[in-house]
Short mmCIF file of all heavy atoms in Angstrom, two decimals:
data_model
loop_
_atom_site.label_atom_id
_atom_site.label_comp_id
_atom_site.label_asym_id
_atom_site.label_seq_id
_atom_site.Cartn_x
_atom_site.Cartn_y
_atom_site.Cartn_z
N THR A 771 -25.85 -43.81 92.98
CA THR A 771 -25.62 -43.01 94.16
C THR A 771 -25.41 -41.48 93.83
O THR A 771 -24.52 -41.24 92.89
CB THR A 771 -24.30 -43.36 94.92
OG1 THR A 771 -24.58 -44.75 95.32
CG2 THR A 771 -24.06 -42.64 96.16
N ILE A 772 -26.14 -40.70 94.29
CA ILE A 772 -26.10 -39.16 93.87
C ILE A 772 -25.74 -38.29 95.14
O ILE A 772 -25.25 -37.17 94.88
CB ILE A 772 -27.40 -38.73 93.34
CG1 ILE A 772 -28.56 -38.87 94.42
CG2 ILE A 772 -27.85 -39.45 91.97
CD1 ILE A 772 -29.86 -38.14 93.94
N ALA A 773 -25.80 -38.78 96.29
CA ALA A 773 -25.47 -38.03 97.56
C ALA A 773 -25.36 -39.01 98.60
O ALA A 773 -25.51 -40.21 98.63
CB ALA A 773 -26.56 -36.90 97.65
N PHE A 774 -25.13 -38.26 99.81
CA PHE A 774 -25.11 -39.03 101.15
C PHE A 774 -25.75 -38.21 102.18
O PHE A 774 -25.79 -37.06 102.18
CB PHE A 774 -23.58 -39.23 101.50
CG PHE A 774 -22.81 -40.15 100.58
CD1 PHE A 774 -22.19 -39.80 99.42
CD2 PHE A 774 -22.83 -41.54 100.77
CE1 PHE A 774 -21.47 -40.61 98.70
CE2 PHE A 774 -22.28 -42.42 99.92
CZ PHE A 774 -21.58 -41.95 98.88
N GLY A 775 -26.17 -38.95 103.33
CA GLY A 775 -26.41 -38.37 104.53
C GLY A 775 -25.61 -39.01 105.59
O GLY A 775 -25.31 -40.26 105.48
N GLY A 776 -25.11 -38.15 106.51
CA GLY A 776 -24.23 -38.73 107.54
C GLY A 776 -24.81 -38.45 108.92
O GLY A 776 -25.16 -37.38 109.30
N ARG A 777 -24.84 -39.43 109.88
CA ARG A 777 -25.22 -39.29 111.19
C ARG A 777 -24.08 -39.30 112.19
O ARG A 777 -23.22 -40.22 112.07
CB ARG A 777 -26.16 -40.43 111.60
CG ARG A 777 -26.81 -40.42 113.04
CD ARG A 777 -27.49 -41.51 113.47
NE ARG A 777 -28.22 -41.41 114.67
CZ ARG A 777 -27.68 -41.44 115.91
NH1 ARG A 777 -26.29 -41.92 115.97
NH2 ARG A 777 -28.33 -41.28 117.05
N ALA A 778 -23.89 -38.27 112.90
CA ALA A 778 -22.66 -38.08 113.72
C ALA A 778 -22.60 -39.11 114.79
O ALA A 778 -23.55 -39.49 115.30
CB ALA A 778 -22.63 -36.62 114.30
N MET A 779 -21.34 -39.54 115.13
CA MET A 779 -21.12 -40.51 116.14
C MET A 779 -20.88 -39.67 117.44
O MET A 779 -21.49 -40.11 118.51
CB MET A 779 -19.89 -41.35 115.85
CG MET A 779 -20.08 -42.34 114.66
SD MET A 779 -21.24 -43.61 115.10
CE MET A 779 -20.42 -44.39 116.48
N ALA A 780 -20.22 -38.55 117.26
CA ALA A 780 -20.03 -37.75 118.52
C ALA A 780 -21.31 -37.03 119.09
O ALA A 780 -22.07 -36.43 118.17
CB ALA A 780 -18.94 -36.80 118.19
N LYS A 781 -21.53 -37.07 120.28
CA LYS A 781 -22.72 -36.52 120.79
C LYS A 781 -22.70 -34.90 120.82
O LYS A 781 -23.70 -34.23 120.70
CB LYS A 781 -22.99 -36.85 122.13
CG LYS A 781 -23.26 -38.31 122.42
CD LYS A 781 -23.52 -38.73 123.82
CE LYS A 781 -23.94 -40.21 124.00
NZ LYS A 781 -24.14 -40.56 125.37
N ASP A 782 -21.40 -34.40 120.71
CA ASP A 782 -21.28 -32.97 120.71
C ASP A 782 -21.03 -32.34 119.40
O ASP A 782 -20.63 -31.21 119.20
CB ASP A 782 -20.12 -32.42 121.58
CG ASP A 782 -18.86 -33.10 121.26
OD1 ASP A 782 -18.87 -34.02 120.32
OD2 ASP A 782 -17.69 -32.75 121.80
N ALA A 783 -21.41 -33.08 118.24
CA ALA A 783 -21.32 -32.73 117.01
C ALA A 783 -22.21 -31.54 116.60
O ALA A 783 -23.29 -31.42 117.18
CB ALA A 783 -21.46 -33.88 115.92
N ARG A 784 -21.64 -30.59 115.76
CA ARG A 784 -22.44 -29.42 115.57
C ARG A 784 -23.88 -29.77 114.87
O ARG A 784 -24.86 -29.12 115.00
CB ARG A 784 -21.65 -28.42 114.73
CG ARG A 784 -20.56 -27.79 115.36
CD ARG A 784 -20.19 -26.53 114.71
NE ARG A 784 -19.82 -26.61 113.28
CZ ARG A 784 -19.44 -25.72 112.44
NH1 ARG A 784 -19.44 -24.48 112.90
NH2 ARG A 784 -19.15 -25.93 111.16
#
Side-chain angles (χ1 to χ4, degrees):
T771 305
I772 58 174
F774 292 90
R777 183 186 187 278
M779 292 293 297
K781 294 182 178 180
D782 59 351
R784 290 200 304 176

